C-alpha cells in the first residue's frame, strides 16, 4: 500500500498537473462529486455549514490537478453555495452572505496556496533525488569504465613491451652496424607509437584506418605533388590490427624510399581499402598498396626483417606481394572486428597529397 501511494505521488500526480487537458476535467469531476455529496447530506448537515464538502474538494483538486484547477473549484464552489444556500435564503443578511463567501474564498485560497507550495517542494525533492541517483549511477559507471580501461591498458602495455623486445632483437640481428640498427628501430617504434596514440584516443576501441595510414606514412612521403593518394571508406580497426598494420605500412614506405616509387622524383603510391560487412561484428577487410612511376623492381634475393614484417602482416591476414615492372603491389586480406562510431560511420577518406 505504501509503495502504491509513493508511486502515485512520484509519477502519476506530477504528470496530471503538467497536462491541463487532463487536470481540469478531473477538477470538474471532483467539484461535481462534492456538490452531489453536499446535496445528499443536506438533511444531516446544518445550513450553517454550506462549504463543508467544498473545502475537501478544493484540497483534493489542488493536490491532484494543481493550483489552476484548484482555483476553478473554489470559484465553482462559491457560485454553487451562493445560488443554492444564500440566494433565496432569509436566514442570512447581505452582509453575512458576503462575509461567509469572503471567508470561504480566503480559506480556500490559503489551502490552494499551501498545497501549491507543498506540490512544488515535493517535485523539487523528487527532482533532486533523481538527479543524485543519476550522478551516483554515472559515477559508478565511470569507475567501472575506468577500471576496464586500466585493465585494457595493462594488457596492451604488456603486449607492446613484448613486441618492442622482439623488434629490438630482430633489428639487431638484421642490422650491419649500430647506425642502421638505431635508424630502423626508431622508425618502427615511431610507427607503433602512432598506432598506440590513435587507439588510446578512442578508449582502446581501435584506430581510424584513414588517420592511421596518413599519420604513419606522413614522415616518409617525399616532398612534391601527388606522391601519395588514399581512397576508402573510413572505419575502425582493432588495436592489435592497428599496431601490426602500422609496422607493415612503415616497412612498405621505407622500401618505397630505398628501392621503389619514392626513390625517384615522380613515383607515386596509391593506398586503397574496402570494408565489406559480414555481420554485426566482423568485416572483410582488404588493403592494396600500389606503386607506380618508379624504377623497375624485382623480388629481393634475401629476406630482411622488413620483408618478414610485411609478409606476416597482422593476425589472420593473408598478404600477397607482386614485383611487377611498374612497381610493387601488396594486397592484404583479413576478417577483422569492425567497430564503427558516429564519427566514422559512412565517412569517406579524403585523398591525401603531399
Amino acid at each position: 500500500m505504501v509503495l502504491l501511494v509513493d508511486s502515485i505521488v512520484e509519477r502519476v500526480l506530477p504528470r496530471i498537473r503538467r497536462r491541463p487537458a487532463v487536470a481540469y476535467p478531473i477538477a470538474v469531476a471532483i467539484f461535481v462529486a462534492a456538490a452531489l455529496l453536499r446535496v445528499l447530506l443536506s438533511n444531516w448537515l446544518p445550513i450553517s455549514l454550506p462549504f463543508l464538502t467544498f473545502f475537501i474538494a478544493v484540497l483534493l483538486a489542488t493536490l491532484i490537478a494543481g493550483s489552476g484547477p484548484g482555483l476553478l473549484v473554489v470559484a465553482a464552489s462559491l457560485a454553487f453555495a451562493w445560488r443554492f444556500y444564500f440566494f433565496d435564503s432569509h436566514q442570512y443578511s447581505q452582509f453575512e452572505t458576503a462575509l461567509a463567501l469572503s471567508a470561504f474564498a480566503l480559506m480556500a485560497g490559503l489551502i490552494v496556496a499551501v498545497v501549491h507550495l507543498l506540490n512544488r517542494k515535493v517535485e523539487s525533492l523528487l527532482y533532486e533525488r533523481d538527479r543524485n541517483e543519476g550522478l551516483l549511477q554515472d559515477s559508478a559507471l565511470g569507475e567501472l569504465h575506468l577500471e576496464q580501461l586500466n585493465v585494457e591498458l595493462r594488457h596492451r602495455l604488456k603486449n607492446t613491451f613484448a613486441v618492442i623486445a622482439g623488434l629490438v632483437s630482430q633489428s639487431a640481428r638484421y642490422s650491419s652496424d649500430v647506425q642502421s640498427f638505431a635508424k630502423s628501430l626508431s622508425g618502427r617504434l615511431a610507427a607503433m607509437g602512432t598506432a598506440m596514440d590513435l587507439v588510446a584516443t578512442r578508449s582502446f576501441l581501435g584506430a581510424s584506418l584513414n588517420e592511421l595510414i596518413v599519420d604513419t606514412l606522413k614522415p616518409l612521403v617525399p616532398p612534391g605533388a601527388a606522391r601519395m593518394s588514399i581512397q576508402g571508406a573510413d572505419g575502425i580497426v582493432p588495436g592489435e590490427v592497428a599496431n601490426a598494420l602500422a609496422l607493415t605500412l612503415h616497412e612498405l614506405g621505407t622500401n618505397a624510399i630505398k628501392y621503389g616509387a619514392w626513390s625517384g622524383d615522380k613515383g607515386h603510391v596509391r593506398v586503397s581499402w574496402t570494408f565489406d560487412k559480414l555481420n554485426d561484428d566482423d568485416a572483410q577487410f582488404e588493403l592494396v598498396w600500389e606503386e607506380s612511376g618508379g624504377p623497375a623492381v624485382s623480388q629481393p634475393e634475401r629476406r630482411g626483417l622488413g620483408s618478414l614484417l610485411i609478409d606476416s602482416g597482422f593476425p589472420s591476414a593473408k598478404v600477397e606481394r607482386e614485383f611487377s615492372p611498374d612497381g610493387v603491389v601488396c594486397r592484404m586480406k583479413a576478417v577483422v572486428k569492425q567497430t564503427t562510431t558516429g564519427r566514422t560511420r559512412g565517412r569517406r577518406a579524403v585523398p591525401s597529397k603531399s
Side-chain angles (χ1 to χ4, degrees):
M1 187 64 180
V2 175
L3 293 176
L4 178 61
V5 173
D6 289 343
S7 178
I8 292 175
V9 172
E10 293 179 11
R11 299 183 180 181
V12 178
L13 296 186
R15 293 181 181 178
I16 293 176
R17 288 192 287 266
R18 286 194 293 267
R19 298 176 64 183
V22 177
Y24 282 95
I26 289 178
V28 172
I30 292 174
F31 165 74
V32 172
L36 292 175
L37 183 61
R38 181 64 184 84
V39 172
L40 292 174
L41 296 177
S42 295
N43 295 330
W44 291 276
L45 292 177
I47 195 171
S48 59
L49 296 175
F51 301 109
L52 181 62
T53 58
F54 296 116
F55 279 116
I56 300 174
V58 171
L59 176 63
L60 291 177
T62 307
L63 181 64
I64 296 174
S67 56
L71 292 174
L72 176 63
V73 173
V74 172
S77 301
L78 285 169
F80 182 89
W82 177 79
R83 177 64 183 81
F84 292 100
Y85 295 103
F86 295 101
F87 182 71
D88 293 330
S89 176
H90 300 288
Q91 184 177 355
Y92 300 103
S93 65
Q94 290 185 353
F95 175 75
E96 290 174 334
T97 298
L99 182 62
L101 294 175
S102 299
F104 172 76
L106 177 62
M107 296 180 66
L110 288 176
I111 292 174
V112 172
V114 171
V115 175
H116 173 72
L117 292 176
L118 289 175
N119 285 339
R120 293 288 299 273
K121 186 63 176 178
V122 170
E123 291 179 0
S124 176
L125 292 174
L126 292 175
Y127 171 78
E128 286 297 325
R129 188 199 65 178
D130 293 341
R131 179 173 175 272
N132 290 333
E133 288 180 352
L135 291 175
L136 289 174
Q137 185 177 12
D138 291 343
S139 177
L141 291 176
E143 291 180 0
L144 178 61
H145 183 59
L146 181 60
E147 179 62 26
Q148 291 174 343
L149 288 180
N150 288 333
V151 172
E152 183 68 18
L153 179 59
R154 289 194 294 269
H155 171 71
R156 293 199 178 279
L157 285 176
K158 180 179 178 181
N159 289 345
T160 299
F161 283 132
V163 173
I164 290 175
L167 285 178
V168 171
S169 174
Q170 294 298 322
S171 296
R173 177 183 176 186
Y174 285 94
S175 299
S176 57
D177 52 54
V178 175
Q179 185 176 0
S180 62
F181 164 74
K183 184 177 181 180
S184 61
L185 181 61
S186 63
R188 288 159 184 162
L189 293 180
M192 283 189 60
T194 297
M196 290 181 62
D197 182 59
L198 293 175
V199 172
T201 57
R202 296 179 181 272
S203 301
F204 299 103
L205 292 176
S208 162
L209 184 58
N210 186 16
E211 295 175 356
L212 179 68
I213 293 173
V214 172
D215 292 354
T216 301
L217 296 177
K218 186 176 180 180
L220 303 176
V221 180
R227 302 306 303 269
M228 182 182 75
S229 62
I230 62 175
Q231 184 178 11
D234 199 4
I236 307 300
V237 292
E240 63 273 11
V241 173
N243 288 333
L245 188 56
L247 284 174
T248 302
L249 291 171
H250 172 77
E251 297 303 328
L252 287 170
T254 301
N255 287 346
I257 292 175
K258 292 180 178 178
Y259 319 109
W262 288 341
S263 63
D265 296 332
K266 298 181 180 179
H268 177 267
V269 173
R270 181 176 181 269
V271 183
S272 60
W273 66 89
T274 58
F275 278 108
D276 294 326
K277 188 175 181 180
L278 300 177
N279 50 51
D280 291 339
D281 298 323
D282 300 326
Q284 179 69 44
F285 169 66
E286 180 176 0
L287 183 142
V288 179
W289 171 285
E290 187 175 4
E291 300 181 22
S292 61
V297 295
S298 59
Q299 178 122 13
E301 298 179 358
R302 185 179 66 88
R303 295 185 69 197
L305 179 58
S307 296
L308 292 175
L309 291 175
I310 294 172
D311 294 336
S312 61
F314 52 85
S316 76
K318 180 181 179 181
V319 181
E320 298 176 353
R321 279 198 297 168
E322 300 176 7
F323 297 88
S324 65
D326 295 331
V328 173
V329 177
C330 180
R331 289 184 176 87
M332 287 178 280
K333 300 179 182 180
V335 175
V336 299
K337 295 292 181 183
Q338 176 62 13
T339 304
T340 57
T341 65
R343 179 181 174 185
T344 60
R345 188 180 293 113
R347 194 177 71 182
R348 298 288 298 179
V350 178
S352 172
K353 296 181 180 180
S354 328

